[in-house]
Amino acid sequence: MEDSIEALVAHVQALSGTLEDLNHLHSLLKQREDSLHSQASQLLPFFEQLDPFKHSLGYLYLLEAASSGTIVREQASEFLVIASNFVDTCSAEQIRLAPDKFISVCKRIKDQVILLQMPIRGIVPLRTAIRKLQSSSERLTSLHPDFLILCLLAKCYKAGLSLLGDDIIEVDQPRDFFLYFYYGGMINIGLKRFQKALECLHNAVTAPMAQLNQMAVEAYKKYILVYLIYNGQVPSLPKYSSSAAQRNLKNYAQPYVDLANSYTSGKFSELESCIETNREKFENDKNLGLVRQVVSSLYKRSIQRLTQTYLTLSLEDIARRVQLQTAKEAEMHVLRMIQDGEIFATINQKDGMVSFLEDPEQYKTCEMVEHIDSSIRRIMTLSKKIRAYDEQISCDPSYLSKIGKERTKFDMDDFDPVPQKFL
């Protein structure tokens, strides 16, 4: 049995040079796949005989087989060292010959770091794996959601931004799309980047779906809460949303719809009553923290309305008008809003007066011009890509066939004859 593995290792060492050799090796590895899995416990010593870069394809098959069985907690650390080193040093060209095997190994890395309660150990290997697996940064892989869930579990939200900044155009599996944007929304919520969170959650909620799925429902719940925090009201779903989403989403998120209705009334007592009624539901959904931020945002929005009416106002008046208990609470809210750039004001500590100011941004600094220019260039690039995809789809045989079938449904009897005067 061991001689058989030795022979396979010799083939890996001899056939890892040219593309022709690699294709031949790949064929041999596929034939030996079941045998490798049956000998999984005997494979570890053979990794020392292979170079993870030169022999990436063979190394990958052995590693996937070795990790296919149960990995006990004591072996998990050893596996992580070997697997992480392989992901870091392997040849992207070789592992792309067997992407399913590579994905399987990377998912085992994710499983093991979660088992060890050390999700942070999997962040760098999975980010490296994604970049090696991608043919371009516009392609969504099956590893994207796994990477983001590790960032969430480790509370390393900023690490997730390294992928969330990419424009995704190519998607292999719909499930990966929903999970990627749902987790992306959660990461942006953790960083209080509510506008970006809304973009992610919006994609998950409005994506095409034949029937409603749990990921879209959970995304919609957070979508409502974040919209209230960021904008103060929740718009209707756009017309391009799937009919399944438009018909059913509200039914599965009724407590959140009720919360939005209470919020728009502007009455704190009504909002608090709604929260108390649905507290258990919010807690079970792990959304109670966001719900509390919704309450806080109503106070902020009330203070922002005061800036449109008054130039100066005492802290006592602010507390009374926005229904806060004390002037100290009002001061804390105003200070946080000044710090976050939500209002422009100064507080006179001697007499407790707040002076509301105009936005000092003149939109003519070098940084602002650079930001606007960058946004314009990005939109132009995106526009070119959309046009290219439109042309590609319009020439697609399956699309043309479907359009042709749709047109045959209309025959000439469906149309009024041409009036005589135009003949």
Side-chain angles (χ1 to χ4, degrees), residues 182 185-186 188-190 192 194 197 201 218-230 256 259 263 275 282 285-297:
Y182 176 62
M186 291 177 68
N188 280 299
I189 289 169
K192 295 192 181 297
F194 293 121
L201 296 171
E218 296 306 315
Y220 184 61
K221 292 173 182 177
K222 287 182 169 60
Y223 178 79
I224 290 174
L225 297 176
V226 176
Y227 236 118
L228 291 175
I229 293 168
Y230 181 73
Y256 296 86
L259 183 74
Y263 187 98
I275 293 170
F282 296 144
D285 290 341
K286 295 182 169 53
N287 284 330
L288 192 58
L290 267 181
V291 170
R292 291 196 182 103
Q293 291 185 60
V294 168
V295 177
S296 179
S297 74

Side-chain angles (χ1 to χ4, degrees), residues 307 337-338 341-346 354-361:
T307 67
M337 292 176 74
I338 293 172
E342 294 169 321
I343 61 170
F344 304 95
T346 59
V354 179
S355 299
F356 299 118
L357 310 173
E358 295 291 332
D359 183 352
E361 178 60 68

Side-chain angles (χ1 to χ4, degrees), residues 226-282:
V226 176
Y227 236 118
L228 291 175
I229 293 168
Y230 181 73
N231 198 42
Q233 56 185 354
V234 183
S236 301
L237 290 177
K239 291 182 180 179
Y240 53 79
S241 305
S242 67
S243 57
Q246 295 191 49
R247 283 197 311 265
N248 302 313
L249 269 178
K250 286 187 177 182
N251 297 333
Y252 287 91
Q254 195 58 53
Y256 296 86
V257 175
D258 293 341
L259 183 74
N261 293 334
S262 300
Y263 187 98
T264 53
S265 73
K267 298 177 181 177
F268 287 93
S269 58
E270 190 173 324
L271 183 62
E272 292 289 357
S273 174
C274 179
I275 293 170
E276 198 56 42
T277 302
N278 298 291
R279 176 177 291 273
E280 186 177 353
K281 176 65 176 173
F282 296 144

Side-chain angles (χ1 to χ4, degrees), residues 368-407:
M368 182 56 67
V369 171
E370 186 177 338
H371 172 71
I372 294 171
D373 182 60
S374 173
S375 298
I376 292 172
R377 281 189 277 108
R378 185 168 177 268
I379 291 169
M380 290 173 66
T381 302
L382 184 60
S383 177
K384 288 179 182 177
K385 289 177 182 176
I386 291 172
R387 277 200 300 271
Y389 272 95
D390 182 58
E391 290 174 7
Q392 182 181 333
I393 291 170
S394 64
C395 298
D396 186 83
S398 58
Y399 171 77
L400 293 173
S401 173
K402 185 174 182 180
I403 291 297
K405 290 177 183 177
E406 290 291 330
R407 284 178 179 169

